[in-house]
Amino acid sequence: MTATLIWILVALVAIGLYLSWTAGRLDRLHARIDAARAALDAQLLRRASVTQELATSGVLDPAASIVLYEAAHAARQAEEEQREVAESELSQALRAVFADPQQVEAVREAPGGEEAARELAEAVRRVPMARRFHNDAVGGARRLREHRKVRWFRLAGHAPFPMAFEMDDEPPAALVERVS
């Protein structure tokens, strides 16, 4: 009888440790999501800021400046629910303005244009990486949260279900090719 109780107690302790380890793992994944989202937000803000600086620098023609400025401003001011759409529209505006390699060369030849083009190229290259890191963390947390043990024992607590950040983040080829 005593041996049976000891084995039951050992099994309960082992199950408790396993559930505690799983809850800790899930907590670390949620912390990783938060850090990745902060990095993504920083990269998106940097891209929008650099775009606005370029649009107001006088290096571009007036039509391109207006298109880029409005798209960057909309991306910076977008509410959370509209953020993915606004950021996608900024990507599309950047591709439209810098679709022609001659436009990129014209920017580079202007005073201060080489630095502005390099900074913008770096910013648009970092956004897809930051988004990929964020979405990878979200995918890991989602997979873990789908396990029965996590749902049955409510190991996720009250944390919201993680959502991926889906946007068009393809950089303008003419801008990125020149810098590479």
Side-chain angles (χ1 to χ4, degrees):
M1 171 112 167
T2 307
T4 305
L5 289 176
I6 291 174
W7 282 112
I8 290 173
L9 184 62
V10 168
L12 288 175
V13 167
I15 291 169
L17 287 173
Y18 178 71
L19 291 175
S20 175
W21 175 80
T22 302
R25 181 173 164 221
L26 188 58
D27 186 52
R28 287 188 299 277
L29 281 171
H30 282 202
R32 189 171 138 211
I33 289 170
D34 290 342
R37 180 59 189 244
L40 175 61
D41 287 341
Q43 292 304 323
L44 292 172
L45 181 63
R46 182 170 184 263
R47 180 180 76 155
S49 298
V50 170
T51 301
Q52 279 185 320
E53 286 177 23
L54 182 63
T56 58
S57 68
V59 175
L60 298 170
D61 63 271
S65 292
I66 291 171
V67 167
L68 286 182
Y69 184 84
E70 287 180 355
H73 181 71
R76 288 183 75 173
Q77 300 298 318
E79 296 293 325
E80 193 60 35
E81 300 82 35
Q82 298 299 317
R83 183 99 187 263
E84 293 172 352
V85 173
E87 294 293 348
S88 293
E89 289 173 354
L90 177 55
S91 295
Q92 292 165 1
L94 285 166
R95 280 198 310 274
V97 169
F98 294 110
D100 184 13
Q102 293 171 344
Q103 174 75 355
V104 176
E105 288 306 316
V107 168
R108 289 182 190 287
E109 291 170 2
E114 183 69 33
E115 175 68 21
R118 185 184 56 73
E119 198 172 341
L120 181 61
E122 287 175 8
V124 298
R125 265 195 280 168
R126 289 180 179 162
V127 168
M129 286 187 294
R131 189 175 75 84
R132 194 170 313 117
F133 289 141
H134 175 267
N135 288 349
D136 287 348
V138 166
R142 283 179 147 185
R143 282 188 296 278
L144 185 57
R145 285 182 71 150
E146 289 172 355
H147 290 177
R148 275 186 237 136
K149 66 180 175 273
V150 173
R151 288 181 310 199
W152 288 350
F153 293 102
R154 299 178 188 190
L155 299 180
H158 297 289
F161 194 74
M163 301 301 289
F165 194 86
E166 297 300 331
M167 65 171 272
D168 174 6
D169 60 3
E170 184 181 337
L175 183 65
V176 176
E177 284 174 1
R178 175 73 162 81
V179 174
S180 299

